[in-house]
Amino acid sequence: MVGVPMVQSDAQVAPHPDEVLGSLLARRAWRAAHNTASFAKSMGLPWDVWCRDIDRSVNALFLDKVAEGLCIGRECARTMTVNTFLSRCGVPVQAIGFEPWITYVGLVRWKRIRYGQMYCCGCLDCPDRYLSRDWRISTSWLCPVHTLPLQDCCPECGKPFTPYRDDELVLARCGRCSTSLAGHDLRPISDEELELHRHIQSIWNDARTGRPGPLCALYRHLSEVAVSDPRFALAGEHWSYWRTWERAALLSSQEGFIVRLACHPSRGALVWCGYNKARDLSVRPKRRSASMPVDPQRRAQLLLDLARRVRWPRRSRARVSR
């Protein structure tokens, strides 16, 4: 089965409430009979726009050009990034580097070497297909609309899903082997998994309404379990980098904690303690004195100790000029 191309009018290419920015650019480029690179160039965007994770965050200059080129409001374009959603939930965000709750795609120019971008086979089978913001959140592993597990690669060749390269999103097919990414017969999600998903969504809803304590507690608990539990301790990296089914196994193993956290009557009273490790502020570190001791013997001994720790670089013979 080959993915059915999208045929849309101008009114149908409006942004969806949970759509990411790159998805709207790809759909507008397809509607204008452009590829993604030429369409971005016509808007005055730099050539390396698709080498960045624009679904995660964009700078102010890029935001102004996108809003003007797509004829949408600047605030509407800003809300189509994952960082905007996370910041509203009380999660500390930054432009680059590691941050909680987001999956990583490993962008290397146009390629994606990691499996952070998820998709639903049922959603890609619809004519109005787009990328949902929830498909970049690390607690997502199923689609509640079609009750299907999310995928992160081609089912035939195993290539990571690259939605903005070779029109993989609008055509719903793999750019390497041309296998359709839509309409696959997958194992349906069980009722227990759907119930667990509802509990996790309730925790996210609490964070969006100004109560980020349970969400922060869930993140810190999952991070501690992933490090200490023998089933996950040998993963070698943070659980946000794991594949979709690996994160699903981690969430399923902590179902009892998630249910207690989501259904506890006083969950809104949890204090937001931050996403970093807690520090004991009562114990202050000892301040090192920058002045030299007055005693000449102690001063000489200190200088000798410093000299022993110095490692002078050794030059190889090949670098010595003759």
Side-chain angles (χ1 to χ4, degrees):
M1 174 182 175
V2 180
V4 181
M6 294 189 300
V7 180
Q8 299 176 328
S9 62
D10 293 332
Q12 289 178 316
V13 196
H16 294 270
D18 59 338
E19 187 175 8
V20 291
L21 189 58
S23 174
L24 181 61
L25 284 172
R27 295 196 299 130
R28 289 286 181 91
W30 180 262
R31 180 66 182 85
H34 280 275
N35 58 30
T36 52
S38 61
F39 184 73
K41 185 178 180 180
S42 65
M43 296 173 56
L45 299 176
W47 65 272
D48 60 343
V49 58
W50 299 108
C51 303
R52 310 173 186 175
D53 193 357
I54 60 176
D55 294 340
R56 174 180 174 176
S57 64
V58 292
N59 55 34
L61 180 60
F62 181 90
L63 199 62
D64 294 334
K65 291 185 177 181
V66 168
E68 181 182 358
L70 297 180
C71 300
I72 60 177
R74 189 178 187 274
E75 184 62 23
C76 178
R78 192 181 69 86
T79 56
M80 298 179 70
T81 58
V82 183
N83 273 7
T84 303
F85 170 75
L86 293 178
S87 62
R88 291 179 177 178
C89 298
V91 180
V93 297
Q94 54 188 3
I96 58 176
F98 179 83
E99 66 184 29
W101 293 122
I102 192 172
T103 58
Y104 294 88
V105 295
L107 274 174
V108 179
R109 292 191 177 272
W110 282 78
K111 295 182 180 180
R112 299 191 176 199
I113 60 177
R114 288 191 175 273
Y115 297 87
Q117 180 62 67
M118 297 172 284
Y119 68 92
C120 172
C121 299
C123 294
L124 292 189
D125 202 16
C126 301
D128 189 18
R129 58 182 72 98
Y130 67 96
L131 289 184
S132 174
R133 177 189 60 235
D134 295 339
W135 296 348
R136 287 295 304 276
I137 304 299
S138 55
T139 54
S140 300
W141 81 97
L142 59 88
C143 175
V145 178
H146 300 93
T147 62
L148 292 175
L150 296 179
Q151 306 296 312
D152 55 11
C153 65
C154 172
E156 186 67 25
C157 64
K159 184 184 76 67
F161 180 48
T162 55
Y164 310 137
R165 186 180 183 184
D166 300 325
D167 295 325
E168 287 193 14
L169 172 62
V170 294
L171 295 178
R173 69 182 183 187
C174 177
R176 177 188 294 174
C177 62
S178 300
T179 301
S180 174
L181 303 176
H184 289 283
D185 295 330
L186 300 175
R187 178 188 63 85
I189 296 297
S190 62
D191 296 337
E192 291 78 10
E193 291 175 306
L194 284 175
E195 188 65 22
L196 178 60
H197 176 75
R198 295 190 191 100
H199 289 308
I200 295 176
Q201 288 301 115
S202 67
I203 296 177
W204 279 100
N205 293 335
D206 288 343
R208 294 184 63 181
T209 55
R211 296 180 296 179
L215 185 64
C216 177
L218 175 61
Y219 178 82
R220 298 184 64 177
H221 177 76
L222 293 176
S223 300
E224 293 173 359
V225 170
V227 173
S228 59
D229 196 322
R231 293 173 295 177
F232 310 107
L234 299 179
E237 55 187 2
H238 195 268
W239 62 275
S240 296
Y241 294 94
W242 296 357
R243 299 291 296 273
T244 305
W245 62 83
E246 294 172 337
R247 286 184 279 105
L250 174 63
L251 293 170
S252 300
S253 66
Q254 303 303 313
E255 181 178 1
F257 178 83
I258 295 174
V259 172
R260 290 195 303 271
L261 195 63
C263 300
H264 199 275
S266 62
R267 67 181 187 276
L270 287 176
V271 179
W272 182 77
C273 52
Y275 283 84
N276 296 326
K277 292 184 178 180
R279 297 179 180 179
D280 187 2
L281 300 180
S282 62
V283 180
R284 297 182 179 180
K286 296 181 179 180
R287 298 185 59 183
R288 299 181 61 182
S289 176
S291 60
M292 296 293 290
V294 181
D295 187 6
Q297 296 295 334
R298 292 184 58 189
R299 186 165 61 247
Q301 185 64 36
L302 178 61
L303 292 176
L304 288 175
D305 294 341
L306 291 176
R308 292 192 187 98
R309 288 198 293 265
V310 173
R311 295 292 184 268
W312 302 102
R314 298 179 60 184
R315 299 179 61 183
S316 60
R317 293 185 178 181
R319 291 187 177 183
V320 178
S321 59
R322 297 181 180 179

